[in-house]
Amino acid sequence: MSQTCRSKTFFVSKLNLCCEVSDCSDPDKNAVQQDLKHQVLIDLVDFVSSGSAKFTEPAIAAICKMCANNLFRVFPPKYRSVNTGGETEDEEPMFDPAWSHLQSVYDLLLRFVSSVDAKAAKKHVDHAFILRLLELFDSVDPRERDCLKTILHRIYGKFMVHRPFIRKAVSNIIYHFVFETERHNGIAELLEIFGSVISGFALPLKEEHKIFLWRALIPLHKPKSVGIYHQQLTYCVVQFIEKDPRLTSPVIKGLLKYWPVTNSQKELMFISELEEILEMTGMDEFQKIMVPLFRRIRCCLNSSHYQ
């Protein structure tokens, strides 16, 4: 067997070795096995980073299987969505005890997605794989959400065939959050990805993109926890208006529709967003919303809140 064949076989066998998931809640349980797996994962990351890895069909299948086995999991009820009850991130973040293993798997997945040919990998990095990745955005561990953000952004940029599906899947997550649960840990990270995506939209804007603005972004102003993701939400809305200034008056009408009437902290966020939008607003668009806007400003001026 040639050296190349041996290295390919060795690569796949190491990936298969890491498919078994260990219980990391108890550091003393299976400690030797956990340490061995951690070292193998580090070796795999170094191997892929060096550029020596050849992504054959068996290697692609093995990487995706190993990542799926280690990453795709159902979060326990007490673990999920604990930091979206308030309007700011005052709560201490929770950290996954298995993070040392998860981080290595995420590192490997990122390097794989960055290096592999999209046509060769699309059979395995498919819609089902992407949906499971999106489910992980509900992790309470901010380190995991940050890794997912980078990986999903890379997948969106490289796998052009999956872009419409990713946009639709993220829209569905937002609809579920806004209109059903109001509980999700990863809305800020998803919006951060979409801030970049929106800035790359071609002109004139497709109807699909405008629908995302009306049905997803504007209703995101409604939940009580808007403070957690408001900065990213404002950036996305501003990106749309920069693309097409004619969207200004419908956006402001949307803000007025969801304007908070009993929450001064939330109202201040709306005012700051409105300020950014008005800086880009021409007179023609301003006149369309002038009357309802000043009625709302009059109410704000009558508020007893000092700010």
Side-chain angles (χ1 to χ4, degrees):
M1 186 184 290
S2 69
Q3 183 67 34
T4 303
C5 289
R6 278 199 299 271
S7 64
K8 287 178 184 177
T9 307
F10 194 51
F11 181 45
V12 171
S13 65
K14 279 201 166 190
L15 287 164
N16 291 334
L17 185 67
C18 294
C19 282
E20 187 174 340
V21 181
S22 304
D23 178 13
C24 296
S25 58
D26 182 358
D28 299 323
K29 187 179 179 181
N30 302 322
V32 175
Q33 182 184 348
Q34 289 180 37
D35 289 344
L36 175 62
K37 179 179 175 181
H38 189 222
Q39 188 55 54
V40 173
L41 284 168
I42 291 171
D43 292 345
L44 286 168
V45 171
D46 290 342
F47 181 63
V48 173
S49 301
S50 70
S52 303
K54 304 300 179 190
F55 296 117
T56 60
E57 170 67 21
I60 293 170
I63 286 179
C64 291
K65 179 185 175 185
M66 189 277 288
C67 290
N69 283 6
N70 284 275
L71 300 177
F72 300 160
R73 61 212 192 276
V74 177
F75 299 126
K78 289 184 180 179
Y79 177 92
R80 296 178 69 252
S81 304
V82 295
N83 69 338
T84 53
E87 290 149 29
T88 57
E89 287 185 283
D90 295 330
E91 298 90 348
E92 287 291 320
M94 291 179 65
F95 298 111
D96 195 308
W99 179 246
S100 60
H101 287 181
L102 292 172
Q103 184 179 28
S104 297
V105 178
Y106 277 121
D107 285 347
L108 183 64
L109 180 57
L110 176 60
R111 283 164 174 76
F112 163 69
V113 169
S114 303
S115 308
V116 73
D117 177 66
K119 288 182 180 179
K122 68 179 182 179
K123 175 183 172 184
H124 297 282
V125 184
D126 57 4
H127 289 180
F129 188 89
I130 291 168
L131 272 179
R132 296 300 302 274
L133 271 182
L134 285 168
E135 288 173 6
L136 295 174
F137 273 89
D138 203 16
S139 169
V140 295
D141 195 323
R143 301 168 301 181
E144 181 164 21
R145 299 197 304 269
D146 199 54
C147 286
L148 286 162
K149 179 180 68 178
T150 306
I151 289 167
L152 186 67
H153 195 269
R154 198 65 53 87
I155 289 173
Y156 188 91
K158 192 159 192 175
F159 292 78
M160 295 181 69
V161 67
H162 291 329
R163 288 182 182 181
F165 176 79
I166 292 172
R167 292 195 296 266
K168 184 177 180 182
V170 172
S171 295
N172 289 337
I173 290 173
I174 293 174
Y175 299 153
H176 185 66
F177 167 70
V178 171
F179 300 111
E180 295 183 34
T181 65
E182 287 201 14
R183 302 186 74 80
H184 196 284
N185 293 304
I187 298 298
E189 286 81 6
L190 290 170
L191 288 175
E192 202 165 324
I193 295 168
F194 265 73
S196 175
V197 169
I198 294 163
S199 67
F201 285 163
L203 294 174
L205 287 172
K206 294 179 180 178
E207 194 62 26
E208 171 209 340
H209 303 328
K210 294 179 185 178
I211 288 172
F212 178 73
L213 173 63
W214 309 139
R215 296 184 183 174
L217 295 186
I218 297 301
L220 269 172
H221 291 83
K222 179 185 175 185
K224 293 178 181 178
S225 57
V226 63
I228 292 172
Y229 56 80
H230 186 257
Q231 182 181 350
Q232 293 86 351
L233 177 59
T234 299
Y235 182 78
C236 287
V237 170
V238 167
Q239 288 296 305
F240 265 108
I241 293 173
E242 283 187 351
K243 287 282 181 183
D244 187 352
R246 292 171 300 179
L247 297 172
T248 304
S249 58
V251 164
I252 292 178
K253 287 176 183 176
L255 276 175
L256 295 175
K257 177 183 177 182
Y258 292 108
W259 199 277
V261 291
T262 60
N263 188 328
S264 296
Q265 183 183 2
K266 191 174 175 183
E267 195 167 12
L268 285 170
M269 296 175 203
F270 276 55
I271 292 171
S272 68
E273 183 175 353
L274 187 62
E275 183 180 2
E276 282 196 49
I277 293 169
L278 288 174
E279 284 178 358
M280 303 185 294
T281 304
M283 185 55 69
D284 290 343
E285 288 299 311
F286 179 71
Q287 287 179 336
K288 294 176 185 177
I289 46 83
M290 186 168 59
V291 174
L293 176 62
F294 274 104
R295 282 179 180 152
R296 174 49 59 192
I297 290 175
R298 180 187 64 189
C299 294
C300 292
L301 290 170
N302 284 332
S303 169
S304 58
H305 192 283
Y306 73 100
Q307 284 180 299

